[in-house]
């Protein structure tokens, strides 16, 4: 690519911030926010501004690698593809297509072609053994939306520009950005919300960075969100806040939901949620009297024992209070194409498959990640024998990672597509080097393109700003070539396979000598844009380098027009959710019995993004994560700031240093996730850190997953904390499960 400054956008999270990237001699020398961007207006986070440091790391995978015993050998693409293809043919013939599985990580979702071609490969195989990172943090929202609105990606979001009251539960957008909504500069957005007189209330077991910007922060005991929502709905009805006539015009199941909430008074839930009844009544009054209000939640609710029930009840409140599809309430975006209508009509993301182990339903055509170890280790028909991991690192991100590691070691074929040899790649049989976001052209990823989940809707295109210097290939090209090597057709279509192979051959002829073969990605993206009636890729690049605004979101654009249930009405009381709610009395009693136990939650820092950025020195300068404890809890446990503690769950024990944090609710401890890289052979900064993987402490398996969505319980679970038994030097800790 030419030297100079190029306009592009970030692709490490949903915010998609506009960037200006300066290139000299095919090296990114500077990354600045794009001040002219139509939506992000010169905002970017530290991770986005230093991402080139990550991609330029000497640890970047340059060539396909094959593991032989404990040694890694560089191999050619031809050899890697041929050997992987032969093994796929053999396993498919011997054990059936479903013995070949795929895990799709979060990184795959931040581009357009990667997830499409990954799914095309699995469809070509005829395998339904798909697993996704969504079952770690957001499948509850997909499962509930399918039941309530008719399609999993129908996700209402707060009308942040007009709301008069926003209640945020279990989310920290100032640090984590917004989930299922692209909001540039979230901190400034919330400040503007307050400056125009709207009320911002945060309900969270920690006084988060977002809570410190709010009008009010309310502590809630972790994992009690459904009881908060039930008493909120109970009180909303008592105060006359149910807009029955309006709700009846759009929704079914009103009486069933209200009947469910009536036993759950604020006084009943107070001993478990620790929210005083009087405080809850004031919250409801503020919400009820606002001219446009919404409840919003994210991972703190999603990853609890009853994440689906919590999100469902939240949506019921937004509907019954008259705030769905209303100015200042919650809106439903519209993408460049009407993907929900397309998906519903064609059965995309709507399969009704059941898992072999545990009989769990698929969500978004994927099975729970918390079953993957069992699916590998349990003999029988459709036992998983091979796994492709694309854009993810399940040995860090998934529950009971110690057991999952043992399962991965039993696989006959493990292939990862990645930028680095991370923890998962270190166990693989083959590691295939992929291009970085700065080395490929792109459009904003699927949420904006297909769903309009943007506070300020726009379109943008970017070319690659630097060229690869090794033998990296883009994932779309890799999956097309894997299809050929395995003797299958992408999407099961011989026409598509032949046409794309022809495009690959023609495009490769025009490459400079020594460059890797690649599909004409800009042409494919332009074709996608043209089909949707948008300006072509070249037009966006030349005439709208800082993005092209689309029509703003409007209220009254969803009800009666885009609800995709069979009745075309919102379903507030689906049988699946009503049946699941029958367990709440038992769960409530368990919470009452566990009042003296410590609850563990996660915590993020602005410098880190899951596990991705730990191979940059300045982002891990302390070299470890910490167990954050309220001073009172630390004193009870005999621990001081900096002391080593053993944190024990029913799956593992980890050893980690303590930090005192008065912002935590007493009875709550926090341990940031994404750490524990000691066994990542290809991350030579991260593997020298001493942090521990919090997900070693979380349970997997069919008896420990939430039944509606299949999600693992990754936050708000019980732990025991005590002074470390044995050496107090944190450098002696390996990050693996250990009995204390």
């Amino acid at each position: 690519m030419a030297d100079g400054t190029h306009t592009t956008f970030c692709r490490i999270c949903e915010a998609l911030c506009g960037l200006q990237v300066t290139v000299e001699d095919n090296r990114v020398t500077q990354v600045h926010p794009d001040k002219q961007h139509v939506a992000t207006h010169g905002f970017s986070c530290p991770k986005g501004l230093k991402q080139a440091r990550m991609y330029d790391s000497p640890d970047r995978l340059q060539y396909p690698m094959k593991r032989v015993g404990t040694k890694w050998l560089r191999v050619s693409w031809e050899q890697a593809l041929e050997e992987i293809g032969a093994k796929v043919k053999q396993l498919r013939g011997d054990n059936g297509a479903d013995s070949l599985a795929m895990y799709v990580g979060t990184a795959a979702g931040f581009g357009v072609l990667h997830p499409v071609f990954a799914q095309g490969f699995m469809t070509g195989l005829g395998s339904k053994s798909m697993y996704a990172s969504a079952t770690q943090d957001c499948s509850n929202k997909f499962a509930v939306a399918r039941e309530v609105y008719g399609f999993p990606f129908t996700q209402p979001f707060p009308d942040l520009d007009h709301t008069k009251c926003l209640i945020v539960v279990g989310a920290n957008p100032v640090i984590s950005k917004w989930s299922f909504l692209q909001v540039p500069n979230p901190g400034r957005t919330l400040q503007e919300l307050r400056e125009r007189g709207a009320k911002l209330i945060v309900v969270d077991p920690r006084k988060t960075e977002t809570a410190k910007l709010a009008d009010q922060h309310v502590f809630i005991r972790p994992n009690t969100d459904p009881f908060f929502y039930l008493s909120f709905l109970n009180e909303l009805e008592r105060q006359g806040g149910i807009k029955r006539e309006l709700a009846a015009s759009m929704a079914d199941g009103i009486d069933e939901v209200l009947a469910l909430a009536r036993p759950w008074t604020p006084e009943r839930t107070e001993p478990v949620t620790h929210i005083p009844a009087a405080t809850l009544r004031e919250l409801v009054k503020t919400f009820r009297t606002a001219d446009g209000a919404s409840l919003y939640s994210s991972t703190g609710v999603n990853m609890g024992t009853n994440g689906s029930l919590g999100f469902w009840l939240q949506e019921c409140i937004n509907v019954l209070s008259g705030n769905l599809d209303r100015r200042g309430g919650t809106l439903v975006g519209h993408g460049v194409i009407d993907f929900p209508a397309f998906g519903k009509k064609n059965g995309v993301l709507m399969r009704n498959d059941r898992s072999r182990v545990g009989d769990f339903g698929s969500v978004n055509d994927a099975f729970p990640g918390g079953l993957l170890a069992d699916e590998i280790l349990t003999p029988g028909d459709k036992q998983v024998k091979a796994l492709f991991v694309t854009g993810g690192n399940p040995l860090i991100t998934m529950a009971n990672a110690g057991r999952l590691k043992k399962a991965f070691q039993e696989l006959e074929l493990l292939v990862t597509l990645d930028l680095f040899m991370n923890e998962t790649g270190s166990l693989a049989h083959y590691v295939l080097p992929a291009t970085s976001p700065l080395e490929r052209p792109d459009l904003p990823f699927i949420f904006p393109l297909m769903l309009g989940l943007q506070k300020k809707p726009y379109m943008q295109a970017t070319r690659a700003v630097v060229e690869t210097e090794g033998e990296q290939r883009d994932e779309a090209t890799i999956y097309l070539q894997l299809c050929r090597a395995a003797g299958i057709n992408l999407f099961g279509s011989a026409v598509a396979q032949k046409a794309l192979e022809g495009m690959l051959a023609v495009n490769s002829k025009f490459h400079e000598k020594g460059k890797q073969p690649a599909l004409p990605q800009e042409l494919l993206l332009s074709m996608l844009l043209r089909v949707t009636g948008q300006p072509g890729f070249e037009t966006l690049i030349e005439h709208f380098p800082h993005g092209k605004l689309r029509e703003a979101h409007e209220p009254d654009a969803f009800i009666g027009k885009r609800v995709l249930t069979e009745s075309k009405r919102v379903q507030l009381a689906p049988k699946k959710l009503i049946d699941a709610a029958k367990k709440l009395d038992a769960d409530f009693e368990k919470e009452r019995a566990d009042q003296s136990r410590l609850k563990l939650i996660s915590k993020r820092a602005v410098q880190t993004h899951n596990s991705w950025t730990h191979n940059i020195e300045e982002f891990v300068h302390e070299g470890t994560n910490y167990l954050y404890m309220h001073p009172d809890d630390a004193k009870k446990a005999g621990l001081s700031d900096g002391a080593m503690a053993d944190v024990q769950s029913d799956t593992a024990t980890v050893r980690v240093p303590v930090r005192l944090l008065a912002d935590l609710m007493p009875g709550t401890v926090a341990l940031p996730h994404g750490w524990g890289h000691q066994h990542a052979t290809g991350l030579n900064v991260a593997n020298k850190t001493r942090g521990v993987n919090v997900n070693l402490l979380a349970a997997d398996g069919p008896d420990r997953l939430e039944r509606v969505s299949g999600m693992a319980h990754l936050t708000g679970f019980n732990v025991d904390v005590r002074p470390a038994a044995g050496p107090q030097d944190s450098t002696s800790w390996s990050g693996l499960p250990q009995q204390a």
Side-chain angles (χ1 to χ4, degrees):
M1 304 301 167
D3 285 356
T5 299
H6 303 270
T7 302
T8 184
F9 56 89
C10 187
R11 279 153 284 169
I12 63 173
C13 84
E14 285 161 281
L16 301 171
C17 299
L19 299 174
Q20 294 281 305
V21 176
T22 301
V23 177
E24 296 178 10
D25 296 328
N26 202 42
R27 283 279 188 275
V28 174
T29 58
Q30 290 183 319
V31 181
H32 294 294
D34 180 3
K35 295 180 180 179
Q36 299 180 65
H37 194 274
V38 295
T40 61
H41 302 299
F43 173 80
S44 181
C45 76
K47 300 182 288 291
L49 296 179
K50 293 189 177 181
Q51 61 185 289
R53 290 281 310 281
M54 179 166 58
Y55 308 142
D56 284 344
S57 166
D59 292 335
R60 265 293 299 275
L61 286 167
Q62 298 285 321
Y63 315 103
M65 302 294 288
K66 175 183 178 180
R67 182 169 59 83
V68 180
T70 59
K71 294 183 179 179
W72 285 95
L73 305 178
R74 174 182 170 180
V75 296
S76 67
W77 273 103
E78 290 73 18
Q79 179 182 344
L81 291 168
E82 180 182 351
E83 292 179 1
I84 294 169
K87 188 64 177 178
V88 166
K89 288 178 185 178
Q90 178 248 306
L91 290 172
R92 188 169 177 242
D94 293 347
N95 305 285
D98 287 322
S99 69
L100 298 147
M102 177 178 285
Y103 174 88
V104 180
T106 304
F110 296 131
V112 175
L113 297 179
H114 182 174
V116 172
F117 277 71
Q119 180 59 64
F121 174 67
M122 293 298 285
T123 302
L125 285 173
S127 172
K128 295 180 179 179
S129 297
M130 184 72 98
Y131 300 84
S133 58
T135 52
Q136 283 127 58
D137 59 12
C138 63
S139 280
N140 64 314
K141 290 190 171 184
F142 294 132
V144 169
R146 176 172 176 173
E147 298 293 322
V148 174
Y149 303 118
F151 192 73
F153 274 92
T154 300
Q155 296 288 335
F157 53 82
D159 182 6
L160 294 173
D161 288 335
H162 302 96
T163 189
K164 299 298 176 62
C165 176
L166 174 64
I167 300 179
V168 176
V169 186
N172 186 16
V174 168
I175 297 299
S176 302
K177 312 301 188 294
W178 291 76
S179 176
F180 288 32
L181 182 63
Q182 182 198 357
V183 181
N185 201 341
R188 182 60 196 155
T189 297
L190 293 175
Q191 289 172 342
E192 290 171 350
L193 183 150
R194 290 194 63 202
E195 287 168 3
R196 58 179 170 78
K199 292 291 185 183
L200 173 62
I201 301 166
V202 173
V203 180
D204 200 282
R206 179 170 71 91
K207 191 169 186 178
T208 62
E209 292 79 358
T210 302
K212 291 175 182 178
L213 292 180
D215 295 277
Q216 183 180 3
H217 169 240
V218 177
F219 278 124
I220 183 172
R221 183 157 166 82
N223 204 41
T224 65
D225 310 289
F227 309 117
F228 161 73
Y229 285 121
L230 283 167
S231 56
F232 194 106
L233 183 53
N234 175 293
E235 183 63 19
L236 186 68
E237 183 182 28
R238 193 194 70 80
Q239 291 188 19
I242 303 299
K243 308 295 185 184
R244 184 175 283 272
E245 185 176 346
L246 177 60
S249 70
M250 66 176 76
D252 298 324
I254 297 170
D255 291 332
E256 293 93 326
V257 171
L258 291 176
L260 175 67
R262 285 189 188 118
W264 299 93
T265 64
E267 285 78 12
R268 182 183 177 190
T269 59
E270 178 179 341
V272 162
T273 64
H274 294 197
I275 298 176
T279 300
L280 190 137
R281 289 197 166 92
E282 282 301 312
L283 290 182
V284 173
K285 181 180 178 182
T286 302
F287 181 87
R288 173 180 61 81
T289 57
D291 183 17
S294 63
L295 279 158
Y296 169 83
S297 63
S298 190
T299 54
V301 174
N302 299 350
M303 300 192 304
T305 304
N306 292 301
S308 292
L309 294 179
F311 180 64
W312 166 54
L313 290 165
Q314 171 187 286
E315 295 303 285
C316 288
I317 292 168
N318 284 332
V319 172
L320 291 170
S321 61
N323 282 297
L324 174 64
D325 202 21
R326 174 192 177 183
R327 176 69 70 204
T330 60
L331 304 176
V332 178
H334 199 302
V336 173
I337 61 174
D338 191 350
F339 178 67
F342 171 83
K344 182 79 171 187
K345 179 180 178 180
N346 295 282
V348 178
L349 306 180
M350 294 288 287
R351 292 204 312 246
N352 293 308
D353 308 315
R354 309 297 299 183
S355 65
R356 180 178 73 108
V357 174
D359 192 38
F360 282 80
S362 61
V363 177
N364 282 0
D365 296 350
F367 292 125
L371 295 178
L372 184 53
D374 292 274
E375 294 285 6
I376 294 170
L377 297 171
T378 305
D381 185 39
K382 300 183 180 180
Q383 179 184 4
V384 171
K385 301 284 188 178
L387 179 68
F388 288 82
V389 176
T390 193
N393 186 9
L395 286 187
I396 287 290
T397 61
M398 287 176 63
N400 206 351
R403 179 170 181 254
L404 188 64
K405 179 179 180 180
K406 294 176 182 177
F408 282 3
Q409 291 170 328
E410 298 296 317
L411 289 166
E412 294 188 35
L413 177 66
L414 175 59
V415 179
T416 65
L417 285 67
D418 213 301
L419 308 183
F420 298 94
M421 190 178 294
N422 57 26
E423 289 78 4
T424 303
S426 298
L427 293 182
H429 299 98
Y430 297 88
V431 179
L432 304 180
T435 52
S436 78
L438 297 180
E439 295 165 346
R440 65 170 187 260
D442 225 330
L443 302 171
F445 75 115
I446 293 173
F447 279 5
L449 182 68
M450 298 184 175
L451 303 162
L453 290 172
Q454 297 168 290
K455 176 177 173 286
K456 192 173 186 179
Y458 69 92
M459 277 300 299
Q460 188 176 10
T462 179
R463 290 195 171 101
V465 298
V466 291
E467 296 180 348
T468 60
E469 294 194 337
E471 295 183 2
Q472 299 94 342
R473 296 182 182 180
D474 67 276
E475 290 91 349
T477 299
I478 294 172
Y479 281 115
L480 179 68
Q481 294 179 314
L482 282 171
C483 283
R484 180 178 178 84
I488 61 173
N489 296 312
L490 193 76
F491 288 111
S493 168
V495 173
Q497 181 73 23
K498 186 174 182 180
L500 288 164
E501 285 185 6
M503 294 171 72
L504 175 62
V506 171
N507 193 56
S508 297
K509 285 183 180 179
F510 294 95
H511 274 218
E512 296 178 27
K513 186 176 181 181
K515 294 296 182 182
Q516 292 298 301
L519 282 163
Q521 295 176 78
E522 290 189 12
L523 175 60
L524 292 173
L525 294 170
S526 192
M527 291 168 62
L528 175 61
L529 287 168
R530 291 297 190 187
V531 166
T532 63
Q534 294 294 303
F537 189 89
E538 198 71 26
T539 301
L540 283 173
I541 291 287
E542 296 298 327
H543 298 287
F544 304 100
H546 308 287
K548 180 181 185 295
L549 287 175
R550 298 176 54 238
E551 62 276 8
H553 300 300
E554 294 293 338
D556 304 314
F558 176 61
I559 299 300
K561 302 177 181 69
R562 293 186 287 136
V563 181
L564 294 174
T565 60
E566 296 304 314
S567 65
K568 307 301 180 186
R569 291 167 57 80
V570 175
Q571 297 301 306
L572 295 181
K575 184 177 185 302
K576 183 180 292 187
L577 292 162
I578 291 291
D579 287 347
K582 293 175 181 177
K583 69 189 284 286
L584 284 174
D585 283 293
D587 288 350
F588 183 77
E589 292 306 315
K590 185 177 186 306
E591 291 293 339
R592 283 171 61 93
D594 287 342
Q595 287 299 297
S596 63
R597 302 287 303 277
L598 291 174
K599 291 286 191 77
L600 184 141
I601 62 173
S602 189
K603 182 180 180 295
R604 290 195 181 190
V606 71
Q607 294 92 349
T608 59
H609 183 69
N610 299 328
S611 63
W612 298 5
T613 55
H614 290 169
N615 212 47
I616 301 177
E617 291 90 343
E618 56 262 52
F619 284 169
V620 291
H621 63 277
E622 293 190 81
T624 186
N625 51 351
Y626 293 87
L627 180 73
Y628 292 88
M629 300 186 74
H630 189 278
D632 293 346
D633 292 324
K635 185 176 180 180
K636 289 178 186 176
L639 290 160
S640 59
D641 195 74
M644 297 299 295
D646 286 339
V647 186
Q648 184 175 23
S649 70
D650 57 3
T651 61
T653 299
V654 297
R655 181 164 295 170
V656 65
V658 169
R659 276 253 170 108
L660 302 185
L661 183 63
D663 289 336
L664 279 170
M665 183 181 190
T668 303
V669 296
L671 184 57
H673 73 285
W675 293 79
H677 303 285
Q678 290 84 350
H679 302 280
T681 57
L683 298 175
N684 286 305
V685 173
N687 65 19
K688 294 178 178 61
T689 61
R690 304 183 304 277
V692 300
N693 181 5
V694 65
N695 289 330
L696 292 166
L697 300 170
D700 67 341
D703 297 332
R704 303 300 294 271
L705 305 183
E706 194 246 276
R707 288 302 312 185
V708 175
S709 66
M711 284 183 60
H713 185 191
L714 293 177
T715 193
F717 55 84
N718 295 330
V719 293
D720 295 312
V721 178
R722 57 186 178 274
Q728 299 294 297
D729 179 7
S730 63
T731 60
S732 67
W733 175 235
S734 69
L736 289 177
Q738 173 178 305
Q739 294 299 316

